[in-house]
Each structure stands twice: as structure tokens, then as C-alpha cells.
Amino acid sequence: MPQTSAGSPGRSVLALSFALAVFFLAAGLAPGLDPKKEIGHFIIDLWSTDNSDIPQNSVLCLLQTRDGYLWAGTYEGLCRFDGRHFTVFDKSNTPEIQNNGMLVMAEAPDGALWIGTPNGLLCRRDGTFRNYTTADGLASDSILSLCFDRRGILWIGTTLGLSRYQDGIFSDISAQAGMELGYASALAAGLDGRLWVGTNKGLFSYANGRFTPIALPGGKAGNTVWS
């Protein structure tokens, strides 16, 4: 590999390249990863309980919010990562957290962070947490999936079907439609306004107050849809 001295053109080019890279990163103009490169050509960092403040190594969900923070949900709490350090929110420092298991996350149009746990639905807004349960209208306290549709309505998949949060009110949609969906393990909002619901009884679409079962190619009736 060629060597460069302290004042050589090679060293100057390297310094300029680094400065430009920093500039474009700071400006938010840096391109994404090159798909033509092998994974081994990139620098890979690993954060674990051995070298960071992350409370547990099983990361169950990830979300980067619009303010730039990366949020990670683990079995032992919720973590906010700023690129160098983890800030942990759990039962020991946040009374509203009833269960440290953070299963799923979604960001609302207003910037609020919603987190599904086995003991309720957490909402973090303006730095404050609140926990919602069946007492507030949820179908179940055990949350499996979350999704915002294009109207900003929050859909909540639980172990006892589908719930909706709209205009500050929770509704048990499965009960209203007379459907026993069971586990609503996956949600996706379609551009046409339909909601897609993956359950332990198969795939459904929901529109105009009705659930419609969808046959999967090569699948059997009742196959669980996980994602």
C-alpha cells in the first residue's frame, strides 16, 4: 500500500475527502449504502451489554424517530440511542412502565412515540409517558402490533383482536364487527384506505366496518401471519 508523508498530496487528498464526507453527513446529503458492495466491506459496530448501556441483548423492535434518535425495545426496557450512548427507560425509573418487555413501536404524525408491551400501550409525548390498558378501552393489555394509517389513526393489534385509537378514544373493532380474530400479530395500512391484519387465523383486510378473509397462495386456512 503506498505511503504518504505528512505534507504530501496524498495526505491532503485524504484530509479533503474526510472533510467532504463530514460535511455531507452533517448536511444530511450523504448517500445510502452501496448495494454493490459486500457486507464485509462496511464497518460494522456491535452494541451489547458487554460494551454499552443497552440493558439486554434481545432487541425486539427498532424505530428511528423524526428527531434523529434511534429507539430500541428489549426485554429489559426501552432504549434511546444518540449514536454514542443509550438512555434506558424501564420500571425502575419510569413508574408508567408496567412491563419492561417492549414489543413494538410506532411514531404518530404529531411525534408521539407509541410502544406496545405485554401490560398495556405506552405513549411518550413531550418527554412524558402514559400507559393505556383495557380500562381505557383496549381489547387486551397485551399488544402485538401497531400501525398508523394515512389519516393518522392508530391501529393496535392485541392478543384479543384489533383496537383503534382515534380522537382520543379507544375502540374494540373486533368486538364491534363481531369477529374473533384472536392474535392480531401484524398490521399494515394500504394506500386505498384498507387495513391489512395478520392473525393466528390467517390474513384479513378491514374496510367500511367489515373484515374480509384473504386466501394466501399455497397457504392453508388459518395460517398465522407474523409480518
Side-chain angles (χ1 to χ4, degrees), residues 4-220:
T4 59
S5 63
S8 69
R11 178 63 60 87
S12 299
V13 169
L14 287 175
L16 177 59
S17 298
F18 177 76
L20 287 173
V22 171
F23 170 78
F24 283 118
L25 282 171
L29 300 176
L33 298 181
D34 185 351
K36 297 178 182 179
K37 289 186 177 181
E38 298 293 334
I39 191 68
H41 292 167
F42 295 104
I43 297 174
I44 302 173
D45 291 314
L46 171 66
W47 289 273
S48 70
T49 54
D50 292 332
N51 64 358
S52 72
D53 295 327
I54 192 169
Q56 209 264 346
N57 285 336
S58 294
V59 178
L60 307 176
C61 52
L62 283 171
L63 177 69
Q64 186 171 25
T65 47
R66 64 194 67 187
D67 58 9
Y69 286 110
L70 180 68
W71 294 84
T74 77
Y75 282 120
E76 291 300 332
L78 178 68
C79 306
R80 186 182 66 194
F81 187 53
D82 63 7
R84 296 177 65 88
H85 305 289
F86 290 92
T87 300
V88 180
F89 304 90
D90 59 20
K91 292 192 297 183
S92 69
N93 59 25
T94 309
E96 293 78 10
I97 295 178
Q98 303 298 310
N99 189 307
N100 282 341
M102 306 292 162
L103 307 180
V104 61
M105 291 184 286
E107 186 180 20
D110 65 1
L113 178 64
W114 292 82
I115 310 105
T117 81
N119 286 85
L121 178 63
L122 286 168
C123 177
R124 185 179 188 271
R125 180 180 281 109
D126 299 326
T128 301
F129 284 91
R130 179 174 177 181
N131 190 49
Y132 296 95
T133 65
T134 52
D136 300 293
L138 283 169
S140 168
D141 288 344
S142 186
I143 312 301
L144 302 176
S145 53
L146 295 172
C147 175
F148 280 95
D149 65 19
R150 61 181 181 177
R151 296 175 294 171
I153 297 172
L154 175 61
W155 298 90
I156 307 121
T158 78
T159 53
L160 293 176
L162 180 68
S163 293
R164 180 182 66 202
Y165 182 72
Q166 183 178 12
D167 299 327
I169 298 173
F170 288 98
S171 304
D172 186 343
I173 299 302
S174 304
Q176 291 179 6
M179 283 289 295
E180 294 184 3
L181 290 179
Y183 281 45
S185 46
L187 297 172
L191 295 178
D192 59 359
R194 284 194 294 177
L195 182 72
W196 296 87
V197 188
T199 78
N200 62 331
K201 297 182 179 181
L203 177 65
F204 294 83
S205 69
Y206 177 77
N208 301 318
R210 296 182 56 187
F211 287 95
T212 303
I214 306 296
L216 297 175
K220 298 179 180 179

